[in-house]
Amino acid sequence: MGAAAPIIYVGVVLLEHLTVIAIGTLMGSLGRLLLLHVDYRQYPSYPQAYVVHLAFGFVAAFLGSIAIPAIAAKEFAAASFLALAVTQFREVRKIERETLERLEKTELVPRGTAYIEGIAKTFEARNYLAMLVGLVASLGVQVGSRWDSPVLAGGMGIVFGLVTIVILKRSITRSVVGDIAHVRPADIAFDGPLLVVEGVQLMNIGQPEARQTYLEQGLAVAIVPKSIDAKATLGNVGQRQAIVHDAATLCGVRMDVSDKEFMPLARRDLVSGVVALVIVPAEKNMEALIAAVRQTPVLEDSVRRPSAAEPSKIMP
Amino acid sequence: MEGGPRLFAAITEEPHKVGGGLPIFYVNSSEEKERVAAYISRIAGGVIHDVGNGTYIVVIHQ
């Protein structure tokens, strides 16, 4: 069997099952489009990165929708294309990671590697979702085709696809910091040169003017974990950097590259696990800061669940 | 996080309290200390920290 054999199979399958593949690809691409939205992160950037992700989503959906007709035609070699797709999408993750890591130097408040890894993983996962939607939608058309009505079969595929999109969209929604912790206002105080919030020493500020700026313009919040799991999750350095990055993105930050003393920080209380965050925002608005911290996503890689294991049950 | 903080310079009113292999700036008053520290930290992109004994240090946080 030559190397071109799978491609010939795909060609044969394509002609026979044009509706199946067309509907599958359409629904999969639609699914990718619905999962792609520009929000405060401005990532993926619009419009260039949109094209990249939609193109990838289209390819993923196409490959997904080919699987069912291929299996129906007993062309199992063509179904192996899915394996090829997986390798390609892992590449997507790598590209995303590299891009964001390179951009990290240009960020006033860095995202941190954990946040970057989370974003990269999301983009890889979304391609699999596009593929899955394509697969299920094409399955719908295949099932519907028993009734000898192309309209009915097509409709069936669209319904299957939409249901999959809705289920997936719901199930991949990540929790946010507001779900795992209470966020409340806190006071900024100085113990000599030490900036103290909620009894946590955050930084040594030598310059009296900088101290004055913190007292006049700065805002601080205490992030109080709701459970032992939340305490461990908020202890993760990457998670805290993500919170700081999002707070700085949403509330603005009164600093430039040479004003490192105004770099927003989040440090934890060693005993209680309460995280104290301090920032000099562009506009002093406590409610906005609390909202920003609450809506920061909980990073998949920082989630810890000590409560699920034996040692935490032994502890008082 | 790579590299960690780097001590760049010390600015002090107490010459006998600071020594070693880093630039040390001796000043006569706390106003002069603040001014010199501010200038140096601007140039180096560092942060001024007060170590409490009449000395400021400029640290570059990477």
Side-chain angles (χ1 to χ4, degrees):
Chain A
M1 195 181 289
I7 297 164
I8 295 164
Y9 286 148
V10 170
V12 172
V13 170
L14 194 65
L15 284 175
E16 280 180 17
H17 302 272
L18 204 58
T19 337
V20 180
I21 294 163
I23 299 272
T25 310
L26 194 74
M27 293 315 292
S29 305
L30 180 72
R32 185 67 191 95
L33 183 66
L34 291 177
L35 288 169
L36 196 65
H37 50 93
V38 166
D39 60 9
Y40 63 93
R41 281 175 279 249
Q42 274 295 321
Y43 198 85
S45 53
Y46 180 83
Q48 315 289 2
Y50 252 53
V51 176
V52 175
H53 287 292
L54 285 177
F56 261 119
F58 174 80
V59 173
F62 178 72
L63 289 169
S65 59
I66 264 180
I68 298 291
I71 291 167
K74 294 199 169 57
E75 303 292 3
F76 299 113
S80 69
F81 262 49
L82 292 180
L84 188 77
V86 172
T87 327
Q88 290 301 318
F89 298 147
R90 207 170 297 149
E91 203 69 16
V92 172
R93 179 168 168 179
K94 206 174 134 195
I95 292 164
E96 284 304 321
R97 186 196 294 132
E98 279 170 7
T99 310
L100 285 167
E101 269 170 2
R102 249 177 248 144
L103 291 175
E104 192 80 333
K105 289 192 192 85
T106 66
E107 295 277 354
L108 268 182
V109 181
R111 283 188 176 88
T113 41
Y115 205 176
I116 288 176
E117 205 52 46
I119 293 171
K121 200 187 275 184
T122 309
F123 280 109
E124 187 190 2
R126 283 178 185 176
N127 277 308
Y128 294 128
L129 297 184
M131 198 157 90
L132 189 65
V133 172
L135 194 133
V136 175
S138 66
L139 184 70
V141 182
Q142 195 79 27
V143 171
S145 63
R146 295 194 308 179
W147 291 311
D148 271 346
S149 158
V151 180
L152 206 63
M156 190 88 165
I158 290 169
V159 171
F160 267 51
L162 285 177
V163 169
T164 319
I165 292 170
V166 171
I167 294 172
L168 288 177
K169 202 162 179 173
R170 285 215 183 133
S171 59
I172 62 161
T173 308
R174 288 182 289 188
S175 57
V176 291
V177 170
D179 296 334
I180 64 162
H182 299 288
V183 185
R184 58 173 168 76
D187 292 324
I188 297 172
F190 279 96
D191 173 13
L194 291 174
L195 172 61
V196 181
V197 174
E198 287 281 312
V200 184
Q201 297 180 345
L202 284 112
M203 197 183 189
N204 181 315
I205 308 280
Q207 226 179 355
E209 294 99 78
R211 271 180 245 163
Q212 202 56 36
T213 307
Y214 265 108
L215 291 171
E216 282 167 12
Q217 312 287 341
L219 282 178
V221 293
I223 306 164
V224 187
K226 288 181 183 172
S227 66
I228 181 178
D229 295 340
K231 191 173 160 181
T233 303
L234 288 172
N236 183 284
V237 181
Q239 179 62 54
R240 277 184 277 154
Q241 189 57 39
I243 296 173
V244 168
H245 174 82
D246 270 15
T249 308
L250 294 168
C251 298
V253 63
R254 194 176 285 210
M255 67 173 283
D256 200 357
V257 279
S258 57
D259 309 299
K260 288 279 164 57
E261 59 265 43
F262 298 123
M263 177 69 85
L265 284 176
R267 295 284 181 266
R268 74 196 290 242
D269 185 281
L270 303 181
V271 180
S272 64
V274 170
V275 173
L277 180 142
V278 71
I279 183 171
V280 184
E283 197 174 318
K284 196 175 177 183
N285 187 327
M286 182 56 89
E287 276 176 43
L289 177 62
I290 290 177
V293 171
R294 277 205 186 120
Q295 70 160 74
T296 307
V298 173
L299 305 179
E300 235 174 72
D301 297 314
S302 74
V303 172
R304 299 285 179 277
R305 218 158 260 140
S307 69
E310 201 58 39
S312 76
K313 287 164 193 152
I314 300 167
M315 283 190 281
Chain B
M1 290 287 160
E2 302 101 47
R6 193 158 59 83
L7 196 56
F8 183 76
I11 304 98
T12 187
E13 293 173 65
E14 313 278 347
H16 60 283
K17 287 188 179 171
V18 188
L22 83 163
I24 305 166
F25 296 82
Y26 302 113
V27 292
N28 296 318
S29 65
S30 58
E31 290 79 43
E32 190 188 353
K33 184 173 69 176
E34 278 164 28
R35 196 176 61 245
V36 170
Y39 291 167
I40 293 171
S41 79
R42 278 277 141 179
I43 295 160
V47 180
I48 304 164
H49 297 296
D50 183 353
V51 290
N53 58 352
T55 306
Y56 280 180
I57 55 171
V58 173
V59 175
I60 298 170
H61 294 271
Q62 281 144 339

